[in-house]
Amino acid sequence: MANRPGLQMSTTGTPHNSNVFRSALEKREFAYTAELVLGRDHSAVAAEDFVKEAASCPDGIKVISLTDLPGGHPALPADAFVAYVREHNLTPIAHLSGKDGNRSLLEARLHTLARLGAENILALTGDAQKEGFAGQSKPVYDLDSVLILWLVRALRGGLEYDLGTKPARTTPFDFFPGAVVNPFKVREPDLRMQFYKLQLKVAAGAQYIITQIGYNLRKLYELKQYMVREGLGHIPVLANVYVPTAKIAHMMQAGEVAGCVITDEFIQRLEVEKKPQRLERAALMVAAAKHLGFAGAHIGGFGLTHADFMAIIERAAAIGTDWRGRMDEFVFPSPNEFYLFPARGDGLSDGTSEYHITGLQPHPSLVQRLSAAAHRHFIKGGSLGARFFGPRLQAARESAQNNSWRHGLWYGLLGPATLYRKATLGCVSCGDCLQDHLNHAGCSMHGCYKELRNGPCGGSRVDGSCEARPDQPCIWNVIYLGTLAMGEDPARFAHMLVPPRNWCLDRTNALANRFAGLDNLGKRMDLRPMKTTESRTPNHADHR
């Protein structure tokens, strides 16, 4: 069998406990990773058995990807299992999501992973919460995937903090962070916003990408074509190769596993197939990914043994380029799918063509027009309102003790602005508003279950509705259409990083905070000029 990443041996024949995953990607070797879904039990017997079997096989899987409370259920976190993986001379990828812990806990978990020597991080926003002990848990999402990447980037040089009266800095640690993208979205707003957020993730520090689960090779390959077009062709992308049963596919289609696009035809195939046929499909997908220039295959599936993984890899090598004549066995497109590029003769997209020009012609709502006009004339820097209220509120804040300035005349005069935002935009009084960034299309603190500030998660349903609230559209789809309606380019969501919500401003007047220079406006970061942003951290943001 051909040599695969992870087979580095010492002179004594004992495997080195090195980061074979990072090494493989940097050497452009095709990497194989196995995703283990850690369940709701600290014993993790099935995961332990898989690791022991992989470790005992000289030519086996050497990179183990560990989930972080997947599906929104309670489970053993990745950081509790990485030591076991490393003890068996295998390389872990620790998933880290923001759904269950705030930024303090996330930083603490990263310090834990650094102490354990786990370098590979997969940053995720996380699935919507499901039933847990005594009911459904509280959503957190203090940091989304982009901001987790930004935190990881800051930890590379160490974070400054106060230790009593003395300044201190955390010990630097060089994580190898990655992120996820969903290229299988069926509708234009969902897909374009996914790709914009992908670009933002890379700008924030993602050094490799793993795709969401999907079964449409044309959509998968469009991701590679898009990345090349946008100057991201150097970023390694691993194709997610998941082996589902008919039952799991039904769950995916119903939205119980967020973000997956599963067609009726695919489920009909699965209902009459046995395990060998499902493994054959996975092998076809691996063979296709390898020959289309993907950096590796991220393989998973409920109940699969290490022997099943090896069978997929062996069979993929035997298939070689023959997958091209068998695309009907593993490509299941949805009706009326949106594609970035036109089709070419082999069933894939023509990446040399121009992007598909949108046929969407949305019109701005009355609220958008009124809000934009108010922002332009009374809120934007240099406007009448900014020139009048800005100096007064800044002076009041500087001269006041604590927050007493919030009880003054100038602060009180801005009270109606909050009432307007509540009535028209669903304002939740976060005090750290970004309506100008969203083109006044709606409040992502109110309209997004996860209260995301840097673009959508990958969990929206096929019809564009919210993963957690299927009776309402994903607010980021609304924002995409609202941006087009205002004649703006939504591509700005690919490079503008919005800092996390400042909870010191909770339940205060956002407009007063804007004029007083307390909100996120001066902390937003345009990540396009990478040479000038390389040394930036969340604590040293440019004021733009």
Side-chain angles (χ1 to χ4, degrees), residues 334-373:
S334 299
N336 303 314
E337 276 194 282
F338 171 81
Y339 292 93
L340 281 175
F341 303 106
R344 65 189 191 196
D346 62 356
L348 301 177
S349 290
D350 181 4
T352 64
S353 300
E354 295 300 318
Y355 289 143
H356 178 70
I357 298 175
T358 178
L360 299 174
Q361 296 180 331
H363 297 285
S365 66
L366 177 60
V367 168
Q368 272 190 286
R369 292 196 295 268
L370 289 175
S371 300

Side-chain angles (χ1 to χ4, degrees), residues 21 25 47 158 197 199 233 328 345 361 386 407 417 437 476 534 538:
F21 177 63
L25 297 185
K197 188 160 185 176
Q199 291 175 260
D328 62 316
Q361 296 180 331
H407 303 288
H437 181 60
W476 286 96
E534 185 62 32

Side-chain angles (χ1 to χ4, degrees), residues 88-422:
H88 287 77
N89 287 312
L90 303 179
T91 299
I93 301 174
H95 297 202
L96 185 65
S97 74
K99 68 189 185 67
D100 296 306
N102 65 15
R103 66 195 77 176
S104 296
L105 181 61
L106 289 169
E107 182 185 334
R109 290 184 65 188
L110 285 165
H111 290 311
T112 300
L113 291 166
R115 187 171 180 82
L116 292 170
E119 300 176 36
N120 306 310
I121 303 294
L122 187 67
L124 305 131
T125 296
D127 298 326
Q129 280 74 5
K130 301 288 175 59
E131 192 75 8
F133 169 72
Q136 184 170 312
S137 59
K138 178 182 178 180
V140 182
Y141 303 105
D142 191 27
L143 302 184
D144 70 351
S145 55
V146 172
L147 294 171
I148 292 174
L149 289 165
W150 199 247
L151 170 60
V152 168
R153 181 172 175 164
L155 288 171
R156 184 174 294 129
L159 281 173
E160 294 181 355
Y161 66 101
D162 292 327
L163 186 62
T165 58
K166 298 179 180 179
R169 181 182 291 273
T170 61
T171 303
F173 191 85
D174 187 21
F175 286 109
F176 186 55
V180 174
V181 66
N182 191 337
F184 300 104
K185 294 297 186 184
V186 174
R187 302 169 66 254
E188 176 186 334
D190 299 85
L191 184 66
R192 296 304 297 267
M193 289 301 287
Q194 271 296 296
F195 284 1
Y196 291 147
K197 188 160 185 176
L198 165 67
Q199 291 175 260
L200 188 58
K201 290 175 181 178
V202 172
Q207 297 181 50
Y208 64 92
I209 299 296
I210 298 177
T211 68
Q212 174 60 286
I213 297 169
Y215 302 91
N216 184 341
L217 186 64
R218 181 180 170 190
K219 300 285 283 190
L220 179 65
Y221 189 48
E222 273 201 344
L223 167 64
K224 286 280 295 175
Q225 294 170 315
Y226 179 85
M227 292 179 70
V228 170
R229 180 71 66 88
E230 295 296 327
L232 304 179
H234 62 288
I235 301 295
V237 181
L238 283 76
N240 197 326
V241 179
Y242 189 84
V243 186
T245 62
K247 181 178 180 180
I248 291 177
H250 276 291
M251 294 173 61
M252 291 176 172
Q253 190 181 57
E256 294 181 45
V257 181
C260 301
V261 178
I262 304 296
T263 65
D264 291 337
E265 181 189 357
F266 184 44
I267 290 179
Q268 291 167 7
R269 292 273 191 101
L270 289 173
E271 287 174 339
V272 298
E273 288 179 347
K274 302 298 183 182
K275 185 176 182 179
Q277 293 167 292
R278 300 198 299 271
L279 297 181
E280 176 74 6
R281 176 181 296 109
L284 284 166
M285 294 172 67
V286 171
K290 189 169 186 177
H291 286 90
L292 289 175
F294 286 83
H298 185 74
I299 306 174
F302 180 75
L304 294 187
T305 65
H306 182 263
D308 292 329
F309 279 69
M310 297 307 296
I312 291 170
I313 295 170
E314 294 278 5
R315 180 61 184 144
I319 291 171
T321 59
D322 290 345
W323 61 269
R324 290 185 179 275
R326 302 174 59 186
M327 288 176 59
D328 62 316
E329 298 180 46
F330 66 107
V331 175
F332 300 91
S334 299
N336 303 314
E337 276 194 282
F338 171 81
Y339 292 93
L340 281 175
F341 303 106
R344 65 189 191 196
D346 62 356
L348 301 177
S349 290
D350 181 4
T352 64
S353 300
E354 295 300 318
Y355 289 143
H356 178 70
I357 298 175
T358 178
L360 299 174
Q361 296 180 331
H363 297 285
S365 66
L366 177 60
V367 168
Q368 272 190 286
R369 292 196 295 268
L370 289 175
S371 300
H375 179 82
R376 185 167 56 253
H377 296 296
F378 299 104
I379 301 174
K380 187 176 180 179
S383 67
L384 176 64
R387 294 198 307 272
F388 180 82
F389 282 100
R392 290 166 173 80
L393 283 169
Q394 290 172 27
R397 180 174 66 86
E398 291 170 0
S399 63
Q401 294 183 351
N402 299 321
N403 283 322
S404 61
W405 69 280
R406 296 192 184 279
H407 303 288
L409 172 64
W410 307 119
Y411 187 94
L413 288 175
L414 297 176
T418 298
L419 298 177
Y420 170 82
R421 294 183 195 216
K422 285 180 178 292

Side-chain angles (χ1 to χ4, degrees), residues 25-96:
L25 297 185
E26 289 176 348
K27 293 177 181 178
R28 299 183 179 273
E29 298 172 350
F30 195 79
Y32 294 96
T33 65
E35 180 170 286
L36 296 189
V37 178
L38 301 176
R40 191 178 180 177
D41 198 316
H42 68 276
S43 63
V45 174
E48 288 181 356
D49 289 344
F50 188 99
V51 168
K52 286 187 286 188
E53 188 175 357
S56 66
C57 179
D59 209 24
I61 296 285
K62 301 303 176 187
V63 183
I64 307 295
S65 187
L66 303 168
T67 56
D68 187 25
L69 285 66
H73 300 287
L76 187 72
D79 26 321
F81 201 73
V82 294
Y84 188 84
V85 173
R86 285 175 53 78
E87 286 167 8
H88 287 77
N89 287 312
L90 303 179
T91 299
I93 301 174
H95 297 202
L96 185 65

